Amino acid sequence: MTDVMDTPTSGAAMPTLRVEYAAGERASGAAEIVPQLRSELGLDDQDAPLETPRARPLHQRSLDDNASLIGSAVGSLALVWLLYERVLPLSGTIGFVVCWFVAFLVIYSAVTSMVYPRPMVVDRIAQAVVTSGAAIVGFALAWTIIWIFLQGLPALIHLNFYTEDMAGVGLNDPLTKGGIKHAIVGTAIQVGIATAIALPLGVGTAVYMTEVGGRLSRTVRTVVEAMTALPDILAGLFVYALLIITLGWQRSGVAAALALAVTMMPIIARSAEVVLRVVPGGLREASLALGASQWQTVRRVVLPTAKAGLATSLILGIARIAGETAPLLIVSGASSFFNANPANEPMNSLPLFIYDAVRRPDGLTIQARGYGAATLLLIMVLVLFVVTRFLARDKGPSR
Amino acid sequence: MTVLDERPPAFQDVAEPRVIDPGLPTADRTFRGVVRVIGLFVLLLTSAIGIFLGLQAVPTLQKYGLSFFTETQWEPRSNTVGIAAVFVGTIEVALVALAVGFPLALLTALFISEYAPPRLKSSLVSLVDLMAAVPSIIYGLWGFMVLQPHAIHLSRWLATYLGWIPIFHVDTDATSASWQQSSFTASAFIAGLAVSLMVIPLACAVMRGVFALAPLGEREAAFALGSTRWGMVRAVVLPFGRGGIIGGTMLALGRALGETIAVLLIISPTFDIKWNILSVGTNTFSALIAGRFGEATATQLSALLTAGFILFAMTIAINTVAAIFVNRSRSGAATEI
């Protein structure tokens, strides 16, 4: 019990501030700078009443809990195996697991109701169902990631996969020839341009929503949230209708980057707003009371305090648009050669390359390259995620 | 008690008070102006998406009139295009995704906020974020290559035992030993399963965020009254999080309606209004647009943009309602020291 108790260790030495966000983003910088500021300001002696209450662990697993859980699981497995595989004319993995789960619930509730009243039975069943639901989701995620890694490995182990392009390489040429340099560079350039456009606009919108406010800002917030879930293909259609039909541009890397920027801006705006909102109001007031203007307050106090959190939201935005395929299908042509000029000539990118490659007939090496590119894309997203976690955990001075 | 007027004599007889509000400094006025313009730009951008797609839609609607909404076929060469079949297909895929995704997202959110060990909580939250960041083309590939071979068995089971319900009916003998696997592949059901993987993290993140805000005092009060954990969840967390559950589900619905690439990889396009979700072939707005865009002529482009406009109107309506629900269950106040 003691090792999971969350009681403050020595008086109020470590004030803990627990902040929860409605949309699931974890912004960190602001929440973690507060204890540090407090200790610098010498406020630690008197802050006991300010500490946010934390949930105390109230549940402990007893021997009875564990024994009935494991016993029911093993018993139902044995029963279902006997009936399903040996007695009844049934087969199939999914069916087996479903039958096992149902049998487990029945046996578990029977075992519990031998000793405990009905609310306890319901409680245990609910816990089993909730845990299995989460387990199914985790299982699907793990399966997806492991599967794509296994598929991508054959292409990824060749160095030329990263240093050559596909110009003049046939669909069934061995993996030691040709690579996806053109797609990697294309994705990097497009994401770079999109970020350069979306970051100032997104952070500006977030500053508008949190610092300036007003009735209009609530409308903007609602619209931004609605845009976050706007179908990705519509960003492509919009850029197509605006730039290519109305203004007569060609399909190019810039058009693709603009479509990505349209997708990215609301994502950054929304998560940056969450981050800026947790910057303590007291910091703003202190700055204003010292005679700083609002612009100075935002530039010198609010944004530096939220720096780590803003970096997190930037990375989440990049991770999201790096894998966008649908808008690129519309505004950017695919190509097999290297092109570092986003303004003209078609420019390939990782998602387009994957989409194109995996739709080829089975058995060709181009398919293996497609899976390799998909794995590379996933690795990129994973790396960005680890960086995000690292930034979120970084408790060092973020000024 | 007399009030001493300490102002210099020259000012003592000035009746009206002086203006002591200096107004905003220029830097601040510029700052507010710029930031407000950026905010307005976002509003403008959203309306521009609607306006540009809407403008492109006008000639199509003039040309085809109401038949654009009732026609099922999409054959620009013979001058018949309509969205009736895609509309039904889009709704079917989205509803399958929600039917699978909603319970799983709710259970996962409950697990993370109520049942998971406190030490694991933040890791689980970032796992859900990671799930949201995995590119949809990867889910599409997985759904097509890995999930489909397993899911057709489930389809067959449903068709065998629940085939008397029209939506589960399949025009093949599902019970025979050599059953026709190809009548069950590439269906709305399987596309919906793949899409559900994409909407789960979205809905789960919103729900979990709202559950975590359920007041600690009421939770402990429930326990103090002798409630079990499930009793507490039912009496405190779920009622408190109702706005988040509805909002998260609607956001998920918006996402499911517009998901493109995973659907495009899985389905085989057909243009009939089909109510049996298990059998081969369906189509959705976004898959139609992405699939037909490369080969499109000018008239067909306009028709595709019209389809895009209708998708835009549908999702923006659903997402706005969702955002209102979510916002209502959250306060906009700043954190105080």
Side-chain angles (χ1 to χ4, degrees):
Chain A
M1 185 74 188
T2 47
D3 57 338
V4 287
M5 283 281 277
D6 277 328
T7 43
T9 39
S10 58
M14 273 296 291
T16 41
L17 200 83
R18 202 177 62 145
V19 189
E20 295 289 351
Y21 310 99
E25 289 90 349
R26 273 191 61 80
S28 59
E32 278 149 13
I33 202 167
V34 176
Q36 193 193 335
L37 276 176
R38 301 188 61 84
S39 63
E40 280 175 15
L41 296 171
L43 287 175
D44 277 353
D45 305 333
Q46 36 189 318
D47 61 353
L50 291 167
E51 195 178 321
T52 314
R54 294 193 63 148
R56 284 176 289 273
L58 300 169
H59 302 272
Q60 261 184 302
R61 297 199 63 82
S62 63
L63 177 65
D64 175 75
D65 285 342
N66 289 329
S68 48
L69 179 70
I70 296 168
S72 310
V74 174
S76 54
L77 175 65
L79 180 69
V80 170
W81 180 79
L82 186 68
L83 288 179
Y84 194 92
E85 300 282 343
R86 300 285 140 170
V87 179
L88 296 171
L90 295 167
S91 67
T93 324
I94 295 183
F96 182 82
V97 174
V98 170
C99 291
W100 179 21
F101 186 64
V102 172
F104 164 72
L105 288 185
V106 171
I107 295 181
Y108 195 36
S109 52
V111 166
T112 310
S113 61
M114 282 157 62
V115 186
Y116 295 106
R118 212 179 131 262
M120 190 75 179
V121 180
V122 177
D123 181 50
R124 279 192 175 174
I125 296 300
Q127 175 159 18
V129 171
V130 167
T131 312
S132 336
I136 291 174
V137 174
F139 178 70
L141 177 65
W143 192 1
T144 312
I145 291 179
I146 292 170
W147 176 80
I148 198 86
F149 264 91
L150 292 179
Q151 294 289 316
L153 212 55
L156 284 179
I157 50 173
H158 298 288
L159 188 64
N160 59 306
F161 189 64
Y162 310 96
T163 56
E164 291 175 20
D165 59 32
M166 290 295 286
V169 180
L171 294 181
N172 210 11
D173 280 352
L175 289 172
T176 48
K177 218 178 128 194
I180 56 162
K181 185 172 105 179
H182 57 307
I184 299 175
V185 171
T187 288
I189 291 176
Q190 288 170 7
V191 169
I193 298 176
T195 309
I197 298 170
L199 182 66
L201 288 178
V203 174
T205 312
V207 168
Y208 173 60
M209 291 189 280
T210 52
E211 305 299 319
V212 178
R215 184 173 298 169
L216 191 61
S217 80
R218 278 196 289 278
T219 318
V220 173
R221 177 181 301 155
T222 310
V223 167
V224 162
E225 291 204 355
M227 269 181 82
T228 320
L230 198 69
D232 42 9
I233 196 165
L234 288 180
L237 276 188
F238 165 64
V239 169
Y240 190 88
L242 176 66
L243 292 183
I244 296 175
I245 295 184
T246 313
L247 297 179
W249 288 26
Q250 291 298 310
R251 293 181 173 197
S252 64
V254 175
L258 286 177
L260 293 180
V262 171
T263 319
M264 187 183 193
M265 198 195 57
I267 299 172
I268 293 195
R270 205 175 113 190
S271 49
E273 191 225 344
V274 174
V275 174
L276 292 184
R277 210 196 283 160
V278 297
V279 171
L283 289 181
R284 288 191 190 92
E285 285 160 17
S287 164
L288 292 172
L290 287 170
S293 68
Q294 193 181 18
W295 163 237
Q296 286 168 323
T297 306
V298 169
R299 195 166 72 95
R300 301 267 170 92
V301 177
V302 176
L303 292 182
T305 309
K307 207 163 129 196
L310 290 177
T312 309
S313 69
L314 169 68
I315 290 172
L316 285 179
I318 293 179
R320 174 76 194 278
I321 62 162
E324 284 289 355
T325 320
L328 301 183
L329 272 178
I330 288 175
V331 293
S332 155
S335 70
S336 62
F337 50 86
F338 183 79
N339 171 25
N341 177 5
N344 55 33
E345 296 287 314
M347 185 184 219
N348 213 338
S349 54
L350 281 174
L352 271 189
F353 179 83
I354 300 168
Y355 179 73
D356 190 48
V358 296
R359 281 156 49 101
R360 306 281 181 174
D362 273 337
L364 297 181
T365 54
I366 185 82
Q367 275 221 335
R369 293 181 210 268
Y371 288 119
T375 314
L376 195 65
L377 193 60
L378 188 63
I379 291 174
M380 256 172 62
V381 172
L382 286 175
V383 167
L384 287 175
F385 240 82
V386 173
V387 173
T388 316
R389 292 292 299 164
F390 180 74
L391 278 177
R393 205 172 288 162
D394 181 18
K395 288 186 178 155
S398 50
R399 274 160 288 177
Chain B
M1 196 167 166
T2 53
V3 178
L4 289 177
D5 196 340
E6 290 178 349
R7 290 179 295 178
F11 291 99
Q12 282 187 4
D13 47 33
V14 179
E16 66 268 23
R18 285 161 299 164
V19 180
I20 45 171
D21 176 19
L24 287 170
T26 322
D28 268 11
R29 229 173 299 150
T30 324
F31 162 69
R32 284 184 170 225
V34 168
V35 167
R36 196 167 282 146
V37 165
I38 293 178
L40 283 177
F41 179 77
V42 177
L43 280 184
L44 201 72
L45 189 68
T46 321
S47 33
I49 296 179
I51 289 168
F52 271 95
L53 293 179
L55 280 182
Q56 303 293 331
V58 172
T60 309
L61 290 180
Q62 274 174 348
K63 189 171 168 199
Y64 298 105
L66 271 182
S67 75
F68 187 72
F69 296 98
T70 51
E71 174 63 46
T72 59
Q73 294 302 309
W74 190 275
E75 282 167 5
R77 285 206 192 99
S78 58
N79 218 358
T80 44
V81 297
I83 52 161
V86 239
F87 185 80
V88 172
T90 306
I91 302 281
E92 280 175 4
V93 170
L95 287 185
V96 171
L98 271 197
V100 178
F102 169 74
L104 287 178
L106 182 64
L107 293 177
T108 311
L110 274 181
F111 178 77
I112 294 177
S113 93
E114 308 303 323
Y115 288 91
R119 279 164 300 159
L120 288 183
K121 233 177 227 182
S122 71
S123 311
L124 289 174
V125 170
S126 48
L127 261 185
V128 172
D129 285 347
L130 172 68
M131 195 172 171
V134 171
S136 56
I137 191 166
I138 289 179
Y139 287 125
L141 276 178
W142 185 75
F144 181 64
M145 303 296 290
V146 181
L147 190 62
Q148 179 157 289
H150 288 92
I152 52 172
H153 293 276
L154 187 60
S155 296
R156 181 195 178 197
W157 188 87
L158 286 172
T160 310
Y161 294 101
L162 299 172
W164 47 272
I165 305 174
I167 58 166
F168 293 135
H169 180 73
V170 178
D171 280 329
T172 178
D173 185 12
T175 47
S176 71
S178 60
W179 54 295
Q180 204 132 39
Q181 298 208 350
S182 59
S183 344
F184 293 93
T185 55
S187 64
F189 174 68
I190 292 169
L193 285 183
V195 173
S196 77
L197 277 177
M198 276 161 268
V199 303
I200 284 172
L202 189 68
C204 176
V206 175
M207 291 177 189
R208 189 205 60 82
V210 178
F211 291 160
L213 293 176
L216 210 51
E218 290 182 27
R219 289 164 187 260
E220 293 187 351
F223 286 132
L225 289 171
S227 164
T228 57
R229 176 148 40 177
W230 173 246
M232 186 279 289
V233 168
R234 229 187 43 167
V236 178
V237 177
L238 290 181
F240 186 86
R242 201 187 294 134
I245 296 176
I246 298 174
T249 311
M250 295 193 70
L251 276 182
L253 178 63
R255 177 85 201 266
L257 287 175
E259 180 47 46
T260 312
I261 209 74
V263 176
L264 189 60
L265 278 173
I266 290 173
I267 61 164
S268 65
T270 54
F271 289 97
D272 321 305
I273 296 185
K274 293 176 49 174
W275 300 107
N276 35 0
I277 56 173
L278 295 178
S279 72
V280 57
T282 184
N283 215 337
T284 70
F285 275 113
S286 43
L288 169 78
I289 297 169
R292 291 296 179 96
F293 211 85
E295 60 198 40
T297 57
T299 1
Q300 197 178 353
L301 261 185
S302 169
L304 286 173
L305 287 165
T306 313
F309 177 66
I310 291 162
L311 178 63
F312 170 80
M314 269 163 64
T315 44
I316 212 82
I318 288 174
N319 290 346
T320 309
V321 175
I324 290 171
F325 267 108
V326 177
N327 277 341
R328 202 178 284 168
S329 55
R330 174 208 301 173
S331 81
T335 312
E336 296 300 327
I337 290 193

